[in-house]
Amino acid sequence: MFDDECILVDEQDNVVGHESKYTCHLMEKIESENLLHRAFSVFLFNSKHELLLQQRSATKVTFPLVWTNTCCSHPLYRESELIQENFLGVRNAAQRKLLDELGIPAEDVPVDQFTPLGRMLYKAPSDGKWGEHELDYLLFIVREVKLVPNPDEVADVKYVSREQLRELIQQADAGEGGVKLSPWFRLVVDNFLMGWWEHLEKGTLAEAVDMETIHKLK
């Protein structure tokens, strides 16, 4: 896994090189060389517009056992995942990782069914040694899927309504039950998710798309 080559980008999302996943997540390198890599976050909803969450496995190097959106990972420095047109490289990577992490077959999540809604740039230390510095593509998809979570990647999964997510956030804020949320998921929740979810339920999601802006969030 650590040998995978992530796509290095500048703050305008131009590809500037590639580096191992290991190096990309070392806070020392992030701080000293300002290493920034491309990432994606998938928000998968069922037909009732409930959002699928995952709890990251205990063996994750960054942010183990935190709850987060459906799938969060990186397009790799390979031809199929570098395609810029229609954000196809990121869509291909999302399809690949939904299978790797959650056992969702490719036919359940066709690449043309992902809706890229926006991009954000953020930095988040994890435990001192490890962290994230990502330019993150935020993707929605509505599909009924078959789930076979990979225990090496995922500790638990659940679908939540908007109200149930609000309750989960309140638990995390209060420190109840050891509930923690990933920093990137919390940024999306605080800045975009509820409005986009409302658009999804109204059938007006296209109105929410903004792939021109790169939101720099802390």
Side-chain angles (χ1 to χ4, degrees), residues 67 166-181:
W67 283 94
R166 289 191 182 99
E167 291 170 5
L168 191 69
I169 292 165
Q170 288 173 354
Q171 283 182 280
D173 287 347
E176 294 176 7
V179 174
K180 295 181 180 179
L181 303 180

Side-chain angles (χ1 to χ4, degrees), residues 63-175:
F63 304 102
L65 293 177
V66 305
W67 283 94
T68 192
N69 51 288
T70 312
C71 178
C72 334
S73 191
H74 321 93
L76 300 179
Y77 193 80
R78 58 174 65 160
E79 186 176 359
S80 63
E81 297 185 11
L82 282 162
I83 301 169
Q84 303 274 33
E85 186 177 0
N86 294 323
F87 315 106
L88 183 57
V90 172
R91 296 171 192 247
N92 285 337
Q95 186 187 63
R96 170 178 60 81
K97 285 303 293 183
L98 285 168
L99 176 61
D100 287 351
E101 293 191 3
L102 294 162
I104 299 173
E107 58 266 25
D108 282 7
V109 282
V111 291
D112 63 356
Q113 294 298 301
F114 291 99
T115 300
L117 283 161
R119 292 177 291 175
M120 70 175 188
L121 192 161
Y122 76 96
K123 184 188 294 183
S126 177
D127 64 355
K129 180 178 181 179
W130 305 104
E132 298 285 2
H133 190 208
E134 297 186 329
L135 202 154
D136 196 5
Y137 284 67
L138 308 175
L139 310 174
F140 268 32
I141 186 168
V142 181
R143 303 285 291 183
E144 293 291 339
V145 297
K146 297 180 285 290
L147 289 169
V148 188
N150 175 354
D152 292 335
E153 297 276 357
V154 178
D156 199 3
V157 295
K158 61 181 172 184
Y159 282 98
V160 294
S161 65
R162 273 196 287 176
E163 188 53 43
Q164 288 168 329
L165 179 57
R166 289 191 182 99
E167 291 170 5
L168 191 69
I169 292 165
Q170 288 173 354
Q171 283 182 280
D173 287 347

Side-chain angles (χ1 to χ4, degrees), residues 1 8 17 26 38 45 54 82 104 118 123 129 135 138 140 159 169 171 179 183 185 193-194 197 201 207:
M1 176 197 73
L8 296 180
L26 283 171
R38 190 175 284 166
F45 298 83
Q54 68 153 278
L82 282 162
I104 299 173
K123 184 188 294 183
K129 180 178 181 179
L135 202 154
L138 308 175
F140 268 32
Y159 282 98
I169 292 165
Q171 283 182 280
V179 174
F185 181 46
L193 181 59
M194 295 308 181
W197 204 331
E201 292 174 343
E207 295 177 14

